[in-house]
Amino acid sequence: REQVATELGTEVDLYTLIASQMDPVDYRGIPWKVTIDGEERTDWLPPAFLPTGERPTLMFIDELPQAPIECRRPLFGALLGQELGGWEVPHNTAFIAAGNPSEWAPNTEPMETALLSRFAHYTVLPPTADEWISWAHEREIYPPIIGYVNTYRDQLYTMQPDATEKDVGSTPRSLEFLS
């Protein structure tokens, strides 16, 4: 949040939505009673994870490719700056999405062309051993772990897509957790 605020020169609200953990009804919120023209009706109280303020907002949608299609469809209107389950997207809201590619996440479903066309796409490559070592020194990662990566550079990223819990391999994230 601070880095984005610095880059943009203004405070920014950041909301995170983990798409793979959502159910389609989660986007609507909960029903509540309202009176319209003297008649009692049901409307929807938006969920707390949706922005409502006037400040610029980034809505980060994580694990989008891992979400079932039924959970991705409600996002189409929101991504066009319209609405999501009755919630009107504030004009100052931008969306960013991320997810693992299908070769690294077996539970990934193919993305719809209509959804894909709403984003610019970037592939983030794993860091090189030198990049990770530099990062690890800045974060004060346990020195023997840094030494291991420095000695066995090919071991920085060994995870295989079909890995089991007995043989996951290493990743920059798992080496950080180990520290």
Side-chain angles (χ1 to χ4, degrees), residues 118-136:
R118 286 165 167 82
F119 291 100
H121 299 264
Y122 302 92
T123 300
V124 179
L125 301 173
T128 65
D130 287 332
E131 291 168 337
W132 188 86
I133 290 168
S134 175
W135 174 89

Side-chain angles (χ1 to χ4, degrees), residues 61-80:
I61 305 169
D62 200 7
E63 299 183 7
L64 186 59
Q66 287 72 37
I69 190 169
E70 299 80 20
C71 295
R72 294 192 308 238
R73 279 196 185 119
L75 296 170
F76 285 31
L79 294 169
L80 290 176

Side-chain angles (χ1 to χ4, degrees), residues 148 154-160 168-175:
Y148 175 81
D154 61 333
Q155 297 299 303
L156 176 61
Y157 201 94
T158 63
M159 187 176 93
Q160 297 300 313
V168 174
S170 65
T171 67
R173 182 186 318 177
S174 66
L175 291 169

Side-chain angles (χ1 to χ4, degrees), residues 27 36 52 54 65 73 112 117 144 154 171 175:
Y27 298 113
I36 301 174
T52 59
E54 287 299 313
R73 279 196 185 119
E112 306 81 359
S117 69
D154 61 333
T171 67
L175 291 169

Side-chain angles (χ1 to χ4, degrees), residues 1 6 36 42 62 67 84 111 134 151 156:
R1 178 184 304 183
T6 300
I36 301 174
T42 303
D62 200 7
L84 175 64
M111 297 285 286
S134 175
T151 303
L156 176 61

